[in-house]
Amino acid sequence: AFGASTAVLGGVVKAFKDVADATLQVEKNLADINRILNLSVGSLQKFSTQLFDISRNTATSFDQVSKAALEFSRQGLSFNEVLNRTGDALTLVRLTGIDAGKAVADLTAAVNGFAREGLNTSEILNKVVAVEQKFAVSARDITEALSRAGQSALEAGADFNQLNALVATAQQTTARGGSVIGNALKTIFTRLQRGETLNQLEQLGIAVRDVEFNTLPAIQILNNLVNIVLNELPITAPPRAVFC
């Protein structure tokens, strides 16, 4: 009985210690956030209350929520932008199972990569979730691929919806992971911008430039390639999957 009581008391003491440590970490995170945002006492209280609401609504620990908010606050965002992006990041954590740091990095990469389209994290998250619900793909793999291929896709003239569709199609067809698909698309978009590649495609009869000799967007070049391939297939040949 004495041994059992000792074990119970030891567990209680450890629980209190863990709570104290977590409280100190949360307070440190909030202090770090406030050094960046420079909020008043009232605004900081409102900010922390809304962070607690995000934690409750997403079933995530407040420590993770505060860490995500700290990372977003370092990006020069406003009070409301930090809260909105934190909520979106923690929703992504709940949907995909990735940690908060990864969710912050993936959403930040997607927003920055397609900044010219004016997309915010909520719109990106909604588009990813819509694709996940309609096709046999996972939001985790989509966001991973988007973060890897976003910048190269933008430079090649592809927009967010096109890249999102490409990733979903590739994963549903090949069942490969988001990192593999993202790296593959990054390579494709990068090579489609090389003069040597464009010249070789032109020699094959594939249109890669418009009437003013400007390079066509990558998606249009790929579609032109597909049309050439399909037109050259024998009529009796069985259908083949062509990635575009």
Side-chain angles (χ1 to χ4, degrees), residues 1 5 21 31 46 61 68-69 73 77 82 89 91 131 149 164 168 189-190 221:
S5 300
D21 291 341
K46 180 182 178 181
S61 69
S73 66
L77 302 174
V82 170
T91 300
V131 170
N164 196 14
F189 288 131
T190 300
I221 294 175

Side-chain angles (χ1 to χ4, degrees), residues 134-235:
K134 191 170 182 179
F135 302 98
V137 297
S138 70
R140 180 171 187 166
D141 285 322
I142 293 174
T143 53
E144 176 70 26
L146 291 175
S147 67
R148 291 174 181 264
Q151 187 60 41
S152 59
L154 181 66
E155 293 172 355
D159 60 32
F160 182 86
N161 289 335
Q162 290 172 330
L163 181 58
N164 196 14
L166 281 175
V167 173
T169 302
Q171 191 189 19
Q172 186 169 247
T173 303
T174 66
R176 304 302 291 271
S179 59
V180 174
I181 294 172
N183 288 334
L185 290 174
K186 180 179 179 180
T187 301
I188 292 171
F189 288 131
T190 300
R191 292 183 178 177
L192 281 177
Q193 298 175 69
R194 295 177 181 173
E196 180 183 356
T197 303
L198 296 175
N199 291 335
Q200 291 178 353
L201 289 173
E202 277 189 315
Q203 291 174 10
L204 295 173
I206 299 166
V208 298
R209 295 181 175 91
D210 59 20
V211 293
E212 297 179 351
F213 297 99
N214 297 315
T215 303
L216 296 173
I219 301 301
Q220 189 171 344
I221 294 175
L222 291 174
N223 283 330
N224 293 340
L225 171 61
V226 171
N227 291 333
I228 292 292
V229 172
L230 292 179
N231 288 335
E232 292 184 354
L233 286 176
I235 298 177

Side-chain angles (χ1 to χ4, degrees), residues 92-111:
L92 185 61
V93 168
R94 185 175 182 181
L95 290 173
T96 63
I98 61 177
D99 60 43
K102 178 64 175 170
V104 170
D106 286 350
L107 286 178
T108 300
V111 169

Side-chain angles (χ1 to χ4, degrees), residues 26 28 43 56 65 81 83 92 101 115 122 141 170 180 193 218 231:
V26 167
K28 178 182 180 302
S43 295
R56 183 180 64 254
V65 175
E81 287 175 326
L83 287 173
L92 185 61
S122 297
D141 285 322
V180 174
Q193 298 175 69
N231 288 335

Side-chain angles (χ1 to χ4, degrees), residues 62-117:
F62 188 77
D63 181 48
Q64 277 195 303
V65 175
S66 61
K67 287 180 179 177
L70 177 59
E71 291 302 317
F72 281 125
S73 66
R74 288 171 174 162
Q75 298 177 16
L77 302 174
S78 67
F79 174 97
N80 290 325
E81 287 175 326
V82 170
L83 287 173
N84 290 337
R85 293 196 182 189
T86 300
D88 293 333
L90 272 298
T91 300
L92 185 61
V93 168
R94 185 175 182 181
L95 290 173
T96 63
I98 61 177
D99 60 43
K102 178 64 175 170
V104 170
D106 286 350
L107 286 178
T108 300
V111 169
N112 293 342
F114 294 92
R116 71 181 184 187
E117 295 186 38

